[in-house]
Amino acid sequence: MKKNIKSVLIFGLCVFMLSTVITHFQNKSTTFSNKSSVPQFEIEEERFSKETTQKGRAEYFFKMLRDPSTDQIPIDIYSKERQFVESLNFKRKSINDPFDWKEVGPNDIGGRTRAVALDARNPDIILAGGVSGGMWKSIDGGLTWNKKSDIKNHLAVSALVQHPFNQDEWFYSTGEIRGNSARASGAPFRGSGIFKSTDNGETWNQIGSTKDDDVYYNSPFDYISNLTFSPTTGTSFFGSNGFGIYRSTDGFESSQLVLGETNQQFWASVSVTKEGVVIAVLSSAFSGVTQTQQPGVYISTDDGLNWTNITPDTFPSNPDRSVIGTSESDPYIFYVFTDAGDAQLSLHRFNISNPFNVISSDRTSGIPVFFRALSLQGSYNMVCKIHPTNPNMVIIGGTNLYRSTNGFNAIPPRDSEGITPTSEAPRYWIGGYGYESFLYPNHHPDNHNLIFDPTNPNIAISAHDGGLSRTEDITAEPVVWTDIDQGYNVTQFYKISIHPEFQDQRIMGGTQDNGSPYFYFDELGNSSNSLDVSSGDGATNYLGYNYLISSSQVGRLLKWNYEFSEYSFIKPSESENQQFIHPFAVNPSNENYLFYPEFDHFWRNDQVISINSNSDGGTQGWTELDAINTGSSNHEISALTFSVHAPSDVLYYSGSDIVTRNQPPVIRRLDDLDSTDGELDISIPDAEGGSYVNDIAVNPDNGNEVLAIMSNYNVKSIWHSSDGGNSWSDIEGNLGGENGPSIRSAAIAATDGSTTYYFVGTSIGLFFTDQINGENTVWSQTGSSVIENAVVMDLDYRKSDQILAVGTHGRGMFVGKVNTPVSIQEDPLVEVPASFGLEQNFPNPFNPSTNIRFTIASNSRVSLTIFDISGREVAKILDQKDISAGSHTTTFDASALASGTYIYRIEAVPINGGAAFTQTKSMSLIK
């Protein structure tokens, strides 16, 4: 008997926390308040450090992507596969894309952001870059966002700067060397130089001299951690990981190494003070390398031509990354915040009067130590900033964000165990995790940047793994943040699910560090605010007829029914060996059945529907099936799915060798879900050793037609069977070969017509074919102007109305109508209704937002107006907007209105003639 590590106390505390929010949600009519979060895993989360999460994430991607022949991810594969897709599309340029795609968000969630800056002339103009989502711009202070990167531009934005003199000129660098899950350990999202805009961030072009598309990590432009300009001379500098500090006098067109040596120090950071003093910090060397220039702090007072080592004796002897904070109000003061290794922090203040008279003081002891300590996660997340008008207000960040009003010059109160009391938190703790809740309100852990409004220095914008947050007063106790992620769609999905019912608008997915957003979408690409139904790293999920199941890292499961009156933690309590993104599968034909892997075998639950809040979800209905397995202790169950028709109730699953990493994968089929053995071996005879089966897709109309996806680079990746796995054929076709993409996911889209479409999600976008022709199968890219070349991690197809949901790792979610040619109509996703109509808003009563659904029988000019009970117009949602025929849903936000009864009226005038349609309904706002 395995030991149950989850105590009754932990479960009870989790249930109590969940019960405080559960009453806000009522079936399909859920009102999703902005960034709603359910911290149901808060207590259990404490057992998993952020470092463990980073390690698990890297291991997950490595086993999925590694080339089995080298046991490495190919060097610079991103640059090579970008060239591959450009060549592929050039050859296939005559093919028309038969599908229409809509980006559906989630519009209230961002993603990991390192680069953010305000226009020095207008603080309402914000530029920001996602580490796998490209460059974005807002012209209204972050209320709305628009993507500005061209499809051919590199998406891994690492740093951003505006020219101090020619302020229409902006520059961003590329390449995130630590932590990018889109490319994984061994082949991170390697950069390709510096991009420049001359029209205030509207368009971007690569600086030709910085381009680096070869196959090696051999260029200072592969991984740039920060960019800066001297405000006095206009000289530019950048810190290149593995190379050192570079200087340019022509806006990065040509650059010279001025500090550090190639292949010596790992990290290099640079900043320039208001008076033009250049500050740089070099980390310690790569293992086994002797450094020419010692690690530490350097300054230059002649515009970066000559350097003086000012490293104090108290500086760490083996430093990792450092970040520099400079002062606008006192240009001779700066701070250096350093990862000292072994989870230790270091903070130093420097005062400069001339290059040879530098006074430093060690402020490390002034950093508070709360119960959730500030962690730098191996130099992954680091911030050091000084308030523009108060040089003693210093902000440092890692997982959390801390502030000091005395430059961390005084040791904070601590108890006998060295922990700072929570009562001191409002003074110091201003973001990241929360001290009164799991997350700091409207903020997010893992901090990467902080900027101040030049017209009001108390206004600040924070960049973190959740996107962007804004405060109107960084000096307040406590600091109050507002999300400014609306439309900043750089969310990194692992897995997604769409509700199976015809025209149902519910969708969800598991994301990197942003939980599992659950929300509504409509055919116009709009989406509701989302509800996080997992926390942490969201993972595999199921959106079904009777309930949804969300999971987070290492296989934790939470079941919710749609009334939200019952909820249960249902991971089998005695299971072990969970994966970071742990697979499971529910039988859609009978939702009582859930199969949950434990490395090489299964746990089966046959009572899922009946599990409720009074049940022990960790034991009820669970049976361990040792005999239903992969047949090898080296093979971990890596993918599983059910057939739904002709035949239904068949479980397909795979096992991938993650121990020796050289044995071929196995694929098996279980036809009797109630049996304790009897699975059939349907492995692919020609599958290459070490291949990792990342996905299995089954035709919804034909349970014997199957796709098996191997996600490694440089293996045969797409396998097809039309006879239930008795025989297989390689259909990788033109997606194979040297420098071909990693194939991540698949879907078979049976339609109401004679055509069946086959989709594969790849590391360079979404591809399809409607003709299987063995090794000669031809795949064409779809959604290249919308989905672009984003990493497509997961697909979910709904046969009832032929909708394909697409989850990307860095660009959020998309949906498209299958088997519908591109239309001039705005609404391609639904059938044309027979008549006009206005439905009752949902939810009703509501607070503060509600959804209004209406149907348009022919293309019309539509107005949708809100009135108070006295007949006074209070809002106009649509104002004579041209709307195509179909069913539509829009969201009305009544945050600015008082409680009461309101009237909403639609008026639709057919564009091609006919009688106008008007209808009125009432709704109730209760605050």
PDB file of all heavy atoms in Angstrom, residues 27 31 35 73 105 153 294 338 361 367 407 468 474 506 516 531 562 583 640 645 688 699 728 753 786 829 877:
ATOM      1  N   ASN A  27     -23.395  27.865 -13.332  1.00  0.00           N
ATOM      2  CA  ASN A  27     -23.447  27.156 -14.622  1.00  0.00           C
ATOM      3  C   ASN A  27     -22.919  27.977 -15.798  1.00  0.00           C
ATOM      4  O   ASN A  27     -21.918  28.675 -15.680  1.00  0.00           O
ATOM      5  CB  ASN A  27     -24.862  26.607 -14.898  1.00  0.00           C
ATOM      6  CG  ASN A  27     -25.934  27.686 -14.980  1.00  0.00           C
ATOM      7  OD1 ASN A  27     -25.756  28.670 -15.655  1.00  0.00           O
ATOM      8  ND2 ASN A  27     -27.043  27.471 -14.307  1.00  0.00           N
ATOM      9  N   THR A  31     -20.468  34.752 -14.315  1.00  0.00           N
ATOM     10  CA  THR A  31     -19.849  36.067 -14.435  1.00  0.00           C
ATOM     11  C   THR A  31     -18.400  35.914 -14.013  1.00  0.00           C
ATOM     12  O   THR A  31     -18.117  35.594 -12.873  1.00  0.00           O
ATOM     13  CB  THR A  31     -20.545  37.078 -13.515  1.00  0.00           C
ATOM     14  OG1 THR A  31     -21.895  37.206 -13.926  1.00  0.00           O
ATOM     15  CG2 THR A  31     -19.859  38.432 -13.612  1.00  0.00           C
ATOM     16  N   LYS A  35      -9.477  38.372 -13.859  1.00  0.00           N
ATOM     17  CA  LYS A  35      -8.416  37.578 -13.270  1.00  0.00           C
ATOM     18  C   LYS A  35      -8.897  36.814 -12.043  1.00  0.00           C
ATOM     19  O   LYS A  35      -8.194  36.700 -11.056  1.00  0.00           O
ATOM     20  CB  LYS A  35      -7.224  38.462 -12.897  1.00  0.00           C
ATOM     21  CG  LYS A  35      -6.367  38.870 -14.078  1.00  0.00           C
ATOM     22  CD  LYS A  35      -5.527  37.709 -14.565  1.00  0.00           C
ATOM     23  CE  LYS A  35      -4.578  38.138 -15.661  1.00  0.00           C
ATOM     24  NZ  LYS A  35      -3.386  38.730 -15.228  1.00  0.00           N
ATOM     25  N   ILE A  73      18.633  18.625 -28.124  1.00  0.00           N
ATOM     26  CA  ILE A  73      17.772  19.384 -29.024  1.00  0.00           C
ATOM     27  C   ILE A  73      18.682  20.067 -30.038  1.00  0.00           C
ATOM     28  O   ILE A  73      19.707  20.643 -29.664  1.00  0.00           O
ATOM     29  CB  ILE A  73      16.937  20.402 -28.246  1.00  0.00           C
ATOM     30  CG1 ILE A  73      16.028  19.659 -27.257  1.00  0.00           C
ATOM     31  CG2 ILE A  73      16.104  21.254 -29.182  1.00  0.00           C
ATOM     32  CD1 ILE A  73      15.255  20.558 -26.340  1.00  0.00           C
ATOM     33  N   GLY A 105      -8.135  34.792 -27.408  1.00  0.00           N
ATOM     34  CA  GLY A 105      -7.567  35.174 -26.114  1.00  0.00           C
ATOM     35  C   GLY A 105      -6.905  34.009 -25.390  1.00  0.00           C
ATOM     36  O   GLY A 105      -6.255  33.198 -26.023  1.00  0.00           O
ATOM     37  N   ASN A 153       9.287  38.177 -38.173  1.00  0.00           N
ATOM     38  CA  ASN A 153      10.153  38.657 -37.100  1.00  0.00           C
ATOM     39  C   ASN A 153      10.286  37.622 -36.004  1.00  0.00           C
ATOM     40  O   ASN A 153       9.397  36.801 -35.786  1.00  0.00           O
ATOM     41  CB  ASN A 153       9.610  39.952 -36.504  1.00  0.00           C
ATOM     42  CG  ASN A 153       9.748  41.129 -37.444  1.00  0.00           C
ATOM     43  OD1 ASN A 153      10.314  41.005 -38.527  1.00  0.00           O
ATOM     44  ND2 ASN A 153       9.227  42.261 -37.043  1.00  0.00           N
ATOM     45  N   GLN A 294      37.941  39.679 -14.249  1.00  0.00           N
ATOM     46  CA  GLN A 294      37.312  39.043 -13.108  1.00  0.00           C
ATOM     47  C   GLN A 294      35.842  39.417 -12.995  1.00  0.00           C
ATOM     48  O   GLN A 294      35.432  40.502 -13.417  1.00  0.00           O
ATOM     49  CB  GLN A 294      38.052  39.448 -11.824  1.00  0.00           C
ATOM     50  CG  GLN A 294      39.457  38.903 -11.732  1.00  0.00           C
ATOM     51  CD  GLN A 294      39.460  37.374 -11.801  1.00  0.00           C
ATOM     52  OE1 GLN A 294      38.782  36.711 -11.023  1.00  0.00           O
ATOM     53  NE2 GLN A 294      40.226  36.847 -12.742  1.00  0.00           N
ATOM     54  N   THR A 338      22.309  40.908  -7.070  1.00  0.00           N
ATOM     55  CA  THR A 338      23.059  39.781  -7.629  1.00  0.00           C
ATOM     56  C   THR A 338      22.530  38.452  -7.108  1.00  0.00           C
ATOM     57  O   THR A 338      22.184  38.313  -5.931  1.00  0.00           O
ATOM     58  CB  THR A 338      24.551  39.901  -7.260  1.00  0.00           C
ATOM     59  OG1 THR A 338      25.044  41.160  -7.725  1.00  0.00           O
ATOM     60  CG2 THR A 338      25.368  38.779  -7.867  1.00  0.00           C
ATOM     61  N   SER A 361      28.366  49.859  -0.084  1.00  0.00           N
ATOM     62  CA  SER A 361      27.870  49.283   1.165  1.00  0.00           C
ATOM     63  C   SER A 361      27.013  48.072   0.853  1.00  0.00           C
ATOM     64  O   SER A 361      26.218  48.091  -0.098  1.00  0.00           O
ATOM     65  CB  SER A 361      27.060  50.320   1.962  1.00  0.00           C
ATOM     66  OG  SER A 361      25.983  50.832   1.203  1.00  0.00           O
ATOM     67  N   ILE A 367      17.348  42.978   3.265  1.00  0.00           N
ATOM     68  CA  ILE A 367      16.270  42.329   2.513  1.00  0.00           C
ATOM     69  C   ILE A 367      15.423  41.505   3.479  1.00  0.00           C
ATOM     70  O   ILE A 367      15.944  40.649   4.197  1.00  0.00           O
ATOM     71  CB  ILE A 367      16.843  41.426   1.414  1.00  0.00           C
ATOM     72  CG1 ILE A 367      17.698  42.243   0.439  1.00  0.00           C
ATOM     73  CG2 ILE A 367      15.717  40.713   0.660  1.00  0.00           C
ATOM     74  CD1 ILE A 367      18.428  41.402  -0.594  1.00  0.00           C
ATOM     75  N   GLY A 407      16.570  52.265   1.250  1.00  0.00           N
ATOM     76  CA  GLY A 407      17.616  51.606   0.478  1.00  0.00           C
ATOM     77  C   GLY A 407      18.049  50.283   1.072  1.00  0.00           C
ATOM     78  O   GLY A 407      19.210  49.889   0.905  1.00  0.00           O
ATOM     79  N   LEU A 468       1.402  42.106 -17.540  1.00  0.00           N
ATOM     80  CA  LEU A 468       1.684  43.473 -17.120  1.00  0.00           C
ATOM     81  C   LEU A 468       0.672  43.939 -16.077  1.00  0.00           C
ATOM     82  O   LEU A 468      -0.527  43.680 -16.199  1.00  0.00           O
ATOM     83  CB  LEU A 468       1.623  44.421 -18.323  1.00  0.00           C
ATOM     84  CG  LEU A 468       2.613  44.135 -19.451  1.00  0.00           C
ATOM     85  CD1 LEU A 468       2.219  44.885 -20.710  1.00  0.00           C
ATOM     86  CD2 LEU A 468       4.035  44.498 -19.038  1.00  0.00           C
ATOM     87  N   ILE A 474       3.156  53.682  -6.387  1.00  0.00           N
ATOM     88  CA  ILE A 474       4.126  52.686  -5.951  1.00  0.00           C
ATOM     89  C   ILE A 474       4.568  52.909  -4.512  1.00  0.00           C
ATOM     90  O   ILE A 474       5.191  52.050  -3.894  1.00  0.00           O
ATOM     91  CB  ILE A 474       5.355  52.695  -6.900  1.00  0.00           C
ATOM     92  CG1 ILE A 474       6.202  51.431  -6.737  1.00  0.00           C
ATOM     93  CG2 ILE A 474       6.200  53.952  -6.686  1.00  0.00           C
ATOM     94  CD1 ILE A 474       5.544  50.188  -7.220  1.00  0.00           C
ATOM     95  N   ARG A 506     -17.963  27.615 -24.362  1.00  0.00           N
ATOM     96  CA  ARG A 506     -16.993  27.434 -23.289  1.00  0.00           C
ATOM     97  C   ARG A 506     -15.704  26.786 -23.800  1.00  0.00           C
ATOM     98  O   ARG A 506     -15.740  25.879 -24.628  1.00  0.00           O
ATOM     99  CB  ARG A 506     -17.594  26.578 -22.171  1.00  0.00           C
ATOM    100  CG  ARG A 506     -18.611  27.303 -21.327  1.00  0.00           C
ATOM    101  CD  ARG A 506     -19.328  26.377 -20.365  1.00  0.00           C
ATOM    102  NE  ARG A 506     -20.329  25.565 -21.051  1.00  0.00           N
ATOM    103  CZ  ARG A 506     -21.104  24.681 -20.431  1.00  0.00           C
ATOM    104  NH1 ARG A 506     -20.964  24.478 -19.128  1.00  0.00           N
ATOM    105  NH2 ARG A 506     -22.005  23.990 -21.107  1.00  0.00           N
ATOM    106  N   SER A 516      -5.247  27.583 -15.285  1.00  0.00           N
ATOM    107  CA  SER A 516      -6.101  27.026 -16.330  1.00  0.00           C
ATOM    108  C   SER A 516      -7.259  27.978 -16.589  1.00  0.00           C
ATOM    109  O   SER A 516      -8.310  27.879 -15.947  1.00  0.00           O
ATOM    110  CB  SER A 516      -6.632  25.651 -15.915  1.00  0.00           C
ATOM    111  OG  SER A 516      -5.582  24.725 -15.745  1.00  0.00           O
ATOM    112  N   LEU A 531     -11.700  32.576 -15.737  1.00  0.00           N
ATOM    113  CA  LEU A 531     -11.617  32.064 -14.375  1.00  0.00           C
ATOM    114  C   LEU A 531     -10.514  31.023 -14.328  1.00  0.00           C
ATOM    115  O   LEU A 531     -10.503  30.086 -15.133  1.00  0.00           O
ATOM    116  CB  LEU A 531     -12.946  31.425 -13.973  1.00  0.00           C
ATOM    117  CG  LEU A 531     -12.960  30.664 -12.650  1.00  0.00           C
ATOM    118  CD1 LEU A 531     -12.874  31.645 -11.495  1.00  0.00           C
ATOM    119  CD2 LEU A 531     -14.228  29.825 -12.531  1.00  0.00           C
ATOM    120  N   TYR A 562     -20.995  21.699 -13.462  1.00  0.00           N
ATOM    121  CA  TYR A 562     -21.320  22.987 -14.040  1.00  0.00           C
ATOM    122  C   TYR A 562     -22.262  23.821 -13.201  1.00  0.00           C
ATOM    123  O   TYR A 562     -22.501  24.984 -13.505  1.00  0.00           O
ATOM    124  CB  TYR A 562     -21.868  22.806 -15.457  1.00  0.00           C
ATOM    125  CG  TYR A 562     -20.809  22.286 -16.388  1.00  0.00           C
ATOM    126  CD1 TYR A 562     -21.009  21.139 -17.144  1.00  0.00           C
ATOM    127  CD2 TYR A 562     -19.575  22.921 -16.482  1.00  0.00           C
ATOM    128  CE1 TYR A 562     -20.028  20.657 -17.978  1.00  0.00           C
ATOM    129  CE2 TYR A 562     -18.594  22.443 -17.307  1.00  0.00           C
ATOM    130  CZ  TYR A 562     -18.813  21.306 -18.060  1.00  0.00           C
ATOM    131  OH  TYR A 562     -17.829  20.832 -18.879  1.00  0.00           O
ATOM    132  N   PRO A 583      -0.577  13.451 -18.268  1.00  0.00           N
ATOM    133  CA  PRO A 583      -1.744  13.174 -19.107  1.00  0.00           C
ATOM    134  C   PRO A 583      -2.814  12.402 -18.338  1.00  0.00           C
ATOM    135  O   PRO A 583      -2.530  11.700 -17.368  1.00  0.00           O
ATOM    136  CB  PRO A 583      -1.159  12.312 -20.231  1.00  0.00           C
ATOM    137  CG  PRO A 583      -0.015  11.591 -19.578  1.00  0.00           C
ATOM    138  CD  PRO A 583       0.556  12.553 -18.563  1.00  0.00           C
ATOM    139  N   LEU A 640      -2.700   9.495 -24.328  1.00  0.00           N
ATOM    140  CA  LEU A 640      -3.849   8.594 -24.319  1.00  0.00           C
ATOM    141  C   LEU A 640      -5.084   9.345 -24.763  1.00  0.00           C
ATOM    142  O   LEU A 640      -5.209  10.547 -24.535  1.00  0.00           O
ATOM    143  CB  LEU A 640      -4.064   7.978 -22.940  1.00  0.00           C
ATOM    144  CG  LEU A 640      -4.370   8.883 -21.741  1.00  0.00           C
ATOM    145  CD1 LEU A 640      -5.134   8.097 -20.672  1.00  0.00           C
ATOM    146  CD2 LEU A 640      -3.094   9.443 -21.128  1.00  0.00           C
ATOM    147  N   HIS A 645     -16.802   7.032 -31.698  1.00  0.00           N
ATOM    148  CA  HIS A 645     -17.832   6.497 -32.582  1.00  0.00           C
ATOM    149  C   HIS A 645     -17.216   5.451 -33.515  1.00  0.00           C
ATOM    150  O   HIS A 645     -16.114   5.620 -34.015  1.00  0.00           O
ATOM    151  CB  HIS A 645     -18.466   7.625 -33.413  1.00  0.00           C
ATOM    152  CG  HIS A 645     -19.604   7.180 -34.279  1.00  0.00           C
ATOM    153  ND1 HIS A 645     -20.820   6.787 -33.781  1.00  0.00           N
ATOM    154  CD2 HIS A 645     -19.706   7.060 -35.637  1.00  0.00           C
ATOM    155  CE1 HIS A 645     -21.635   6.448 -34.765  1.00  0.00           C
ATOM    156  NE2 HIS A 645     -20.972   6.610 -35.906  1.00  0.00           N
ATOM    157  N   GLU A 688      11.083   5.041 -34.798  1.00  0.00           N
ATOM    158  CA  GLU A 688      12.507   5.130 -34.479  1.00  0.00           C
ATOM    159  C   GLU A 688      12.750   5.060 -32.977  1.00  0.00           C
ATOM    160  O   GLU A 688      11.957   5.570 -32.172  1.00  0.00           O
ATOM    161  CB  GLU A 688      13.072   6.428 -35.051  1.00  0.00           C
ATOM    162  CG  GLU A 688      12.978   6.491 -36.570  1.00  0.00           C
ATOM    163  CD  GLU A 688      13.432   7.821 -37.144  1.00  0.00           C
ATOM    164  OE1 GLU A 688      14.563   8.242 -36.838  1.00  0.00           O
ATOM    165  OE2 GLU A 688      12.663   8.427 -37.897  1.00  0.00           O
ATOM    166  N   ASN A 699     -10.320   9.794 -35.286  1.00  0.00           N
ATOM    167  CA  ASN A 699     -11.403  10.350 -36.092  1.00  0.00           C
ATOM    168  C   ASN A 699     -12.719  10.248 -35.306  1.00  0.00           C
ATOM    169  O   ASN A 699     -13.095   9.158 -34.875  1.00  0.00           O
ATOM    170  CB  ASN A 699     -11.511   9.568 -37.398  1.00  0.00           C
ATOM    171  CG  ASN A 699     -12.488  10.175 -38.383  1.00  0.00           C
ATOM    172  OD1 ASN A 699     -13.494  10.761 -38.008  1.00  0.00           O
ATOM    173  ND2 ASN A 699     -12.197  10.011 -39.666  1.00  0.00           N
ATOM    174  N   TRP A 728       0.348   0.718 -39.912  1.00  0.00           N
ATOM    175  CA  TRP A 728       0.641   2.151 -39.827  1.00  0.00           C
ATOM    176  C   TRP A 728       1.409   2.583 -41.067  1.00  0.00           C
ATOM    177  O   TRP A 728       2.195   1.803 -41.645  1.00  0.00           O
ATOM    178  CB  TRP A 728       1.498   2.463 -38.597  1.00  0.00           C
ATOM    179  CG  TRP A 728       0.833   2.211 -37.281  1.00  0.00           C
ATOM    180  CD1 TRP A 728       0.830   1.032 -36.569  1.00  0.00           C
ATOM    181  CD2 TRP A 728       0.069   3.150 -36.519  1.00  0.00           C
ATOM    182  NE1 TRP A 728       0.115   1.184 -35.405  1.00  0.00           N
ATOM    183  CE2 TRP A 728      -0.362   2.476 -35.336  1.00  0.00           C
ATOM    184  CE3 TRP A 728      -0.284   4.485 -36.694  1.00  0.00           C
ATOM    185  CZ2 TRP A 728      -1.121   3.092 -34.364  1.00  0.00           C
ATOM    186  CZ3 TRP A 728      -1.041   5.107 -35.728  1.00  0.00           C
ATOM    187  CH2 TRP A 728      -1.464   4.425 -34.584  1.00  0.00           C
ATOM    188  N   GLY A 753     -19.653  16.802 -44.699  1.00  0.00           N
ATOM    189  CA  GLY A 753     -19.530  16.484 -46.114  1.00  0.00           C
ATOM    190  C   GLY A 753     -18.655  15.264 -46.325  1.00  0.00           C
ATOM    191  O   GLY A 753     -18.455  14.429 -45.434  1.00  0.00           O
ATOM    192  N   VAL A 786      -2.845  34.772 -39.037  1.00  0.00           N
ATOM    193  CA  VAL A 786      -3.470  34.953 -37.720  1.00  0.00           C
ATOM    194  C   VAL A 786      -2.693  34.189 -36.663  1.00  0.00           C
ATOM    195  O   VAL A 786      -2.149  34.753 -35.727  1.00  0.00           O
ATOM    196  CB  VAL A 786      -4.951  34.497 -37.750  1.00  0.00           C
ATOM    197  CG1 VAL A 786      -5.607  34.733 -36.389  1.00  0.00           C
ATOM    198  CG2 VAL A 786      -5.720  35.233 -38.831  1.00  0.00           C
ATOM    199  N   LEU A 829     -18.389  31.306 -38.304  1.00  0.00           N
ATOM    200  CA  LEU A 829     -18.351  30.157 -37.418  1.00  0.00           C
ATOM    201  C   LEU A 829     -19.697  29.487 -37.175  1.00  0.00           C
ATOM    202  O   LEU A 829     -19.746  28.444 -36.564  1.00  0.00           O
ATOM    203  CB  LEU A 829     -17.753  30.571 -36.068  1.00  0.00           C
ATOM    204  CG  LEU A 829     -16.293  31.008 -36.127  1.00  0.00           C
ATOM    205  CD1 LEU A 829     -15.826  31.393 -34.745  1.00  0.00           C
ATOM    206  CD2 LEU A 829     -15.438  29.905 -36.688  1.00  0.00           C
ATOM    207  N   ILE A 877     -23.448  49.700 -26.972  1.00  0.00           N
ATOM    208  CA  ILE A 877     -22.496  48.614 -27.192  1.00  0.00           C
ATOM    209  C   ILE A 877     -22.131  48.524 -28.672  1.00  0.00           C
ATOM    210  O   ILE A 877     -20.971  48.362 -29.039  1.00  0.00           O
ATOM    211  CB  ILE A 877     -23.079  47.283 -26.687  1.00  0.00           C
ATOM    212  CG1 ILE A 877     -23.414  47.384 -25.192  1.00  0.00           C
ATOM    213  CG2 ILE A 877     -22.096  46.139 -26.927  1.00  0.00           C
ATOM    214  CD1 ILE A 877     -24.115  46.164 -24.644  1.00  0.00           C
TER     215      ILE A 877
END
